[in-house]
Every structure is written in structure tokens, then in C-alpha cells.
Amino acid sequence: MNVPDKVFDDLSFLTALRHDLHAHPELGFEEVRTSDIVARHLEEMGISVHCGLGGTGVVGTLRVGDGARSIGLRADMDALAMPETAERPHKSTVPGKMHACGHDGHTVMLLGAARHLARTRTFSGTVHFIFQPAEEGRGGARRMMEDGLFSLFPCDAVYGLHNMPGLEVDEIAVVEGPQLASSDSWRVTFRGTGTHGAKPHLGRDPITAMATFLAALQTIIGRVVDPLQPAVVSACSVEAGDPQALNVIPDFAAVGGTARAYSAAVRDQLEEEIGRLARGTAEMFGIGADYRFERRIPPTVNDADATRRAYDAAASVFGDKVLSAFPPSTAGDDFAFFGQQAPGCYVWLGNGPAVEGALHHNTAYDFNDAAIPYGVAFWSALVERELASS
Ligand SMILES: [Zn+2]
Ligand SMILES: [Zn+2]
């Protein structure tokens, strides 16, 4: 392992800060306290700070030497709307909110790297420390971009990092290609003609159409999508009729769900095929169908060149503990939007074994403080190599 000594000098400060953030979790776009703390520490380091990007987002910019290259490093800051059940000294003090995804650790590690780099200044170029609000489904990345993130802070490459239980803290996975799935929502409303339940021939039954649609839905994965391309389509909500009116065939039957893919092409295919099936089924039963596909988050796909750069930096810190193969996650991360603006790489930093089975989004999850020096060292090495002074 090659973690600079100076990183360890900061460890008690960073660990205390991590515990403080963990005890005071804030949901997406409500990270007022967290972003104030981030901004204050960046300012104390002599880093120029831009607040309020995407509501509660913060960008710190550190420019050293005359290097023309500029990169962005992203940490997310938000917590989840769920109770913390495990007893620990830094347990959440806010009922119904907790850092169950380890974003408290992400925030602290990026601050630690900023502090280290502001002191050592052993690079030439510009680094933007991007502290993003609202990663957990509330659209913080998109809001930062709507507020001009990449026009105010142009980046030649962007990097993201997420903690990963199951990998040891001295391990890191840096893998080219798909890392996280797209996460989109779809809705179909079948429009029939309601009638007496005893006289179906006098109406057009939308429930039978919906049932036929649902029975055929998985043929999109099984018969249309390339079997070598992973994809998920799930129906997660159905709504029709009234359990108090069991002799009434309703006018409408609505169904909705999620769609996941690891490539833009398969994502397009899911959007088109769910709609085709919905319209075709409606046509078959002589009724109408309204279809909506809401594109929420694209897949996170690591760029080859950015991945090579991140891999080299990781190898300088983690030695032979860098994994170049690791299974992608079916979750989504809106870092994907940043990766559409500049070549990007998203890495998985070990969080140690899952403690009592607690994984991400579990009420007992906790970021592992032992990972802090590794995360700080990785970010710092990445900047020093990406923006190497010649
Ligand atoms: Zn999460
Ligand atoms: Zn997360």
C-alpha cells in the first residue's frame, strides 16, 4: 500500500467529520448543513468555492501551475429517508433519516483529497471538486448541469467513486465498460369501455388487455433483447377497478414499472418494445393505450481512456489489489449524466466485509472509517497523475 504519511496526519480530523456528517444526515436538496461544512473547509484550504449549484451543490476549484488540462472529481452528499436501527456513537440524530449509502464517507474522502492536494500542490492543471446533492433518485446531477456545471467548470474527464461492501478496504475495482444500469420508469393505461360485469359484450374490457400485456412482458427480455445483453423490465404497480364494485368492469386499467439496461442501445430498445407491446395488445382487444416512458438515469459506462488513467492511479496506491473485473450493479447513479459530458470513470472502493449482513440502503449500514485513507490517497494520486507536471 502506498498511502502518503500526510494523509494519515489528517485521519482523526476526517474521521471526526465523517461521524459528524453521519449523525446529521440530510436528504437530497436539503443538504444545507453538509454543504456549509464542505464550503467552509474548502475555503480554509484556500480553494475557490462556488456554492448553490443545483441548490445545495458545491464546487471547489484548485488550480496549480500552468497545465491546461482540467478534471472533475465527484462526491455525493445526501442521505436516505429511512431510520437507523444500529446503535453506534455517531448514530443518526434525525428520526427517519440516515446515511445508509455511505455518502458521508464520500464527502469526507473528497474533502481529505482537496486538503492534501491544496497542501502538496504536486500537479499542474485544474481540479474541480464536485460535491453533488440529491443522488438518491432526486436528480441532483441534472440540476447541477442545468445550473451550468460544465460551462462554469469545464472538465476534460470526470471521475466518481462509491464505497462497496464485500471488497476489502485495501481493494478497489476500476473496470472499463458498464458499471451501473440505466434506471427508467414506464406507464401504460389501457382505455376500454366500462360495463356491467355480467355483460362484458356491451363494453371493452381493459383488465383482460392488461393481463395479456403482463403475461407477454418478459418476452421482451427473452425474445427481443440480445441474450448477451443484460436488461430488466419489471411491472411494479397495477391499478384497475374497485374492490368494492366487483360487478363493474372499469374504463381504465393502469400498469407501471421500471426498466434497466447497461447500454444506450438496449435502453432504446426497451422503450420502444414496451410501447409496441402495449399498443399491440390494445389493438388486439379493440381498445386504446396511453404509453409513457420516463428517462430518469442513463447507464454509467466507463470510458476506456479515463479508466486506464484511474487504473494507473489506483495501482500506484493499491498495488496488486486493483480489480480490473467486477460485476456491474443493477442500481443506477446519476453520475452517468456527468459521464455523458466528458470521458468518465466510476470506481468501487472497498468498504470491508458486510457487518451483520448490512449492505447499502440497510438500516444498519455504515461507511467504514478504515477506507478513508485509501479513498483520499486514490483521489490524490489520480489528480497527480492525471494532471502530471511535466
Ligand atoms: Zn444509495
Ligand atoms: Zn450511493
Side-chain angles (χ1 to χ4, degrees):
M1 290 310 106
N2 183 17
V3 176
D5 290 344
K6 285 198 171 62
V7 170
F8 288 105
D9 293 346
D10 284 340
L11 208 50
S12 58
F13 159 75
L14 294 173
T15 305
L17 183 58
R18 213 281 292 175
H19 293 176
D20 176 68
L21 295 180
H22 191 91
H24 300 91
E26 296 174 300
L27 303 183
F29 297 125
E30 298 169 10
E31 306 93 333
V32 175
R33 180 181 185 276
T34 307
S35 63
D36 280 353
I37 289 171
V38 166
R40 183 162 46 79
H41 284 302
L42 290 171
E43 274 162 11
E44 279 171 10
M45 299 166 200
I47 289 174
S48 79
V49 178
H50 185 116
C51 293
L53 207 69
T56 40
V58 179
V59 179
T61 298
L62 180 60
R63 202 167 272 121
V64 172
D66 54 6
R69 189 168 167 85
S70 155
I71 62 171
L73 313 181
R74 176 272 215 162
D76 39 14
M77 301 187 288
D78 56 327
L80 286 147
M82 55 189 283
E84 182 158 17
T85 57
E87 290 304 326
R88 47 179 65 110
H90 53 280
K91 180 178 178 176
S92 170
T93 58
V94 188
K97 298 178 188 176
M98 81 168 286
H99 270 294
C101 207
H103 298 183
D104 46 346
H106 300 170
T107 302
V108 161
M109 290 188 293
L110 191 57
L111 267 181
R115 191 166 151 128
H116 181 70
L117 291 162
R119 210 164 35 204
T120 54
R121 304 176 74 84
T122 43
F123 63 94
S124 179
T126 303
V127 53
H128 302 298
F129 302 99
I130 303 169
F131 292 88
Q132 183 205 308
E135 184 280 325
E136 297 284 4
R138 295 189 176 193
R142 199 184 276 184
R143 279 277 302 278
M144 286 192 97
M145 284 166 50
E146 285 165 2
D147 282 358
L149 175 64
F150 289 108
S151 47
L152 291 165
F153 308 103
C155 292
D156 297 309
V158 286
Y159 297 91
L161 174 156
H162 207 291
N163 70 93
M164 180 49 80
L167 289 180
E168 296 298 330
V169 290
D170 64 351
E171 291 182 317
I172 191 168
V174 185
V175 185
E176 189 184 326
Q179 302 304 302
L180 293 137
S182 57
S183 175
D184 299 322
S185 303
W186 56 268
R187 287 183 181 77
V188 178
T189 302
F190 291 100
R191 283 183 285 104
T193 305
T195 181
H196 197 298
K199 303 171 184 175
H201 60 295
L202 299 180
R204 288 282 184 181
D205 176 13
I207 291 183
T208 304
M210 178 173 75
T212 304
F213 167 81
L214 284 174
L217 186 61
Q218 295 310 323
T219 61
I220 294 173
I221 305 301
R223 303 287 83 182
V224 180
V225 174
D226 178 346
L228 297 178
Q229 295 284 338
V232 181
V233 176
S234 293
C236 302
S237 159
V238 295
E239 202 181 344
D242 186 331
Q244 304 301 318
L246 296 181
N247 56 355
V248 176
I249 291 172
D251 286 318
F252 300 101
V255 53
T258 191
R260 312 271 165 142
Y262 292 95
S263 77
V266 174
R267 187 188 194 201
D268 291 347
Q269 205 173 20
L270 297 182
E271 173 170 12
E272 188 180 330
E273 294 295 332
I274 298 169
R276 185 206 308 278
L277 190 65
R279 283 187 292 270
T281 308
E283 169 76 12
M284 193 161 79
F285 286 92
I287 65 173
D290 298 324
Y291 174 57
R292 269 200 304 137
F293 188 94
E294 185 192 347
R295 291 187 163 234
R296 296 175 60 247
I297 302 174
T300 299
V301 182
N302 281 352
D303 171 80
D305 180 55
T307 303
R308 187 183 50 73
R309 292 165 183 269
Y311 189 93
D312 290 348
S316 76
V317 176
F318 294 79
D320 59 2
K321 297 286 192 88
V322 188
L323 284 71
S324 59
F326 192 69
S329 166
T330 51
D333 190 313
D334 63 1
F335 173 81
F337 286 112
F338 296 170
Q340 289 181 330
Q341 300 299 312
C345 181
Y346 185 100
V347 307
W348 303 102
L349 175 69
N351 199 62
V355 178
E356 291 173 12
L359 297 166
H360 293 142
H361 295 206
N362 180 286
T363 55
Y365 191 67
D366 196 16
F367 180 83
N368 187 342
D369 293 320
I372 293 175
Y374 294 103
V376 173
F378 167 69
W379 280 138
S380 302
L382 179 62
V383 171
E384 285 164 353
R385 288 171 163 261
E386 253 281 17
L387 307 174
S389 32
S390 49

